[in-house]
């Protein structure tokens, strides 16, 4: 086994973090992560897919949205427009031509900002993500104003509640086999975004990287 | 794939396995008296929310926010009874 090149650490916008994987040549994709708690749970899968794509000669750019991950900004001061505005800033900072996006779960809610084609894993509506946060607060008896510890401004929560998936012919949607929502392909795997403990699913990551490589190569 | 003859309990066990990662032996051992929220380590408050969303999607029911409380999630039996009532079975 050859050693994998470590991702390069970049910044975009106002000091936001972005990891870059893979060669400078070949196609490049912007990676949009899930939102809120699902981002933490899927981090291992997302990075495994990026490494898999890099090994297949495809460049991946993985920004942390403002107020998430390594961001220097606090989430409570940010709105939905800030997340959408971050995407072109990240695109500009790559310095390469981006062929399209790969989005996981709620990341697909902002993929229409990315020019080109859009690949999605188990995309979901904003309303469903907010419902999960609200029910988490209800189940634990905690303050519904800060569900699961997140402080969401009305300028984030209200547009997110209305945010749904854009539909166009350039999208490719992958879902797990037990998910009955419309999909171009269903694959077997662990719904890692649901698991309370972060989990790896290397078989799923490899399968997804193969699917993306075939999709972007066609 | 759960067939048409799978009981609500069987379907809920399958969801607990898939969503929470409960292993097969533990899932088989779950019965009506098995305590859930507050007792099952996988079932933190975010996991409860995800579990309910998956139950809605897979068992084709809609759960209202005011129905989400400790009583419904107290035990496997109370969750199964809730789902059965929702399905009108």
């Amino acid at each position: 086994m050859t050693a994998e090149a470590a991702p390069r650490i970049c910044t975009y916008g106002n000091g936001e973090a972005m990891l870059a994987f893979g060669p400078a040549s070949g196609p490049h994709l912007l990676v949009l992560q899930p939102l809120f708690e699902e981002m933490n749970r899927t981090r291992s899968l997302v990075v495994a897919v990026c490494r898999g794509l890099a090994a297949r000669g495809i460049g991946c750019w993985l920004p942390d949205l403002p107020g998430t991950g390594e961001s220097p900004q606090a989430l409570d001061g940010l709105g939905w427009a800030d997340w959408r505005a971050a995407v072109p800033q990240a695109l500009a900072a790559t310095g390469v031509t981006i062929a399209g996006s790969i989005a996981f779960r709620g990341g697909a809610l902002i993929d229409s900002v990315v020019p080109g084609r859009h690949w999605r894993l188990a995309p979901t509506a904003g309303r469903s993500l907010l419902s999960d946060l609200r029910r988490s607060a209800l189940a634990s008896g905690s303050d519904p104003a800060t569900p699961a510890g997140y402080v969401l401004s009305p300028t984030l929560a209200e547009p997110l509640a209305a945010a749904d998936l854009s539909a166009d012919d350039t999208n490719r949607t992958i879902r797990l086999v037990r998910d009955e929502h419309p999909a171009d392909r269903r694959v077997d795997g662990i719904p890692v975004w649901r698991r309370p403990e972060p989990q790896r699913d290397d078989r799923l990551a490899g399968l997804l990287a193969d699917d993306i490589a075939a999709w972007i190569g066609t | 794939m759960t067939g048409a003859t799978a009981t609500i309990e069987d379907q809920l066990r399958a969801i607990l396995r898939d969503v929470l990662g409960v292993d097969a032996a533990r899932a088989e051992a779950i019965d009506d008296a098995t305590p859930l929220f507050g007792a099952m380590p996988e079932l933190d408050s975010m996991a409860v929310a995800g579990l309910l969303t998956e139950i809605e999607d897979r068992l084709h029911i809609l759960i209202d926010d005011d129905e989400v409380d400790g009583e419904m999630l107290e035990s496997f039996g109370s969750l199964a009874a809730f789902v059965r009532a929702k399905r009108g079975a």
Side-chain angles (χ1 to χ4, degrees):
Chain A
M1 182 175 156
T2 53
E4 290 173 355
R8 305 177 303 284
I9 300 171
C10 318
T11 59
Y12 75 96
N14 190 19
E16 303 295 346
M18 177 160 64
L19 293 180
F21 299 77
S25 61
H28 291 270
L29 296 167
L30 191 78
V31 184
L32 296 169
Q33 303 181 72
L35 305 178
F36 309 116
E37 194 61 25
E38 292 188 3
M39 176 181 166
N40 303 321
R41 294 171 171 178
T42 55
R43 184 74 180 188
S44 169
L45 178 69
V46 170
V47 169
V49 170
C50 290
R51 288 185 183 277
L53 288 171
R56 290 161 177 79
I58 297 165
C60 290
W61 300 79
L62 177 64
D64 284 350
L65 291 175
T68 77
E70 307 298 326
S71 175
Q73 300 195 64
L75 182 63
D76 57 10
L78 295 166
W80 185 243
D82 295 306
W83 280 357
R84 290 179 63 88
V87 171
Q89 291 174 352
L91 290 170
T94 65
V96 299
T97 301
I98 295 288
S101 63
I102 57 175
F104 296 77
R105 298 282 295 159
L109 294 168
I110 52 172
D111 68 4
S112 61
V113 186
V114 182
R117 304 158 71 196
H118 306 122
W119 182 98
R120 296 165 165 176
L121 177 68
T124 186
R127 191 181 56 254
S128 177
L129 294 173
L130 285 169
S131 166
D132 281 356
L133 289 176
R134 199 174 56 244
R135 285 173 173 179
S136 159
L138 288 167
S140 62
S142 61
D143 182 357
T146 60
Y150 290 99
V151 182
L152 306 185
S153 74
T155 59
L156 179 59
E158 288 168 14
L160 178 59
D164 213 337
L165 300 161
S166 65
D168 70 63
D169 293 342
T170 65
N171 293 343
R172 176 170 174 80
T173 297
I174 309 298
R175 294 188 182 277
L176 299 185
V177 287
R178 291 169 196 83
D179 179 344
E180 296 178 1
H181 294 97
D184 296 300
R185 183 185 176 191
R186 289 178 209 281
V187 298
D188 203 6
I190 297 173
V192 290
W193 50 91
R194 292 295 188 206
R195 295 286 172 90
E197 295 295 328
Q199 296 224 317
R200 296 177 61 129
D201 187 341
D202 292 340
R203 195 198 61 82
L204 177 62
L207 192 154
L208 296 176
D210 281 339
D211 190 90
I212 294 163
W215 165 78
I216 203 64
T218 56
Chain B
M1 183 84 198
T2 45
T5 56
T7 64
I8 284 172
E9 283 77 5
D10 286 342
Q11 293 180 67
L12 284 175
R13 282 190 194 93
I15 294 172
L16 286 170
R17 283 183 63 180
D18 191 41
V19 174
L20 298 182
V22 174
D23 68 39
R26 273 183 64 211
E28 274 309 305
I30 291 173
D31 62 23
D32 280 357
T34 304
L36 292 183
F37 190 45
M40 186 175 277
E42 293 89 348
L43 206 52
D44 62 22
S45 64
M46 273 311 289
V48 164
L51 179 68
L52 295 179
T53 302
E54 294 291 336
I55 288 172
E56 285 183 312
D57 282 355
R58 300 184 193 193
L59 299 182
H60 307 290
I61 60 173
L62 281 176
I63 301 170
D64 296 326
D65 277 355
D66 60 12
E67 295 171 319
V68 181
D69 57 23
E71 197 178 325
M72 162 205 192
L73 293 155
E74 189 176 359
S75 68
F76 185 73
S78 60
L79 180 61
F82 173 83
V83 171
R84 184 168 286 113
K86 272 276 165 183
R87 301 235 297 183

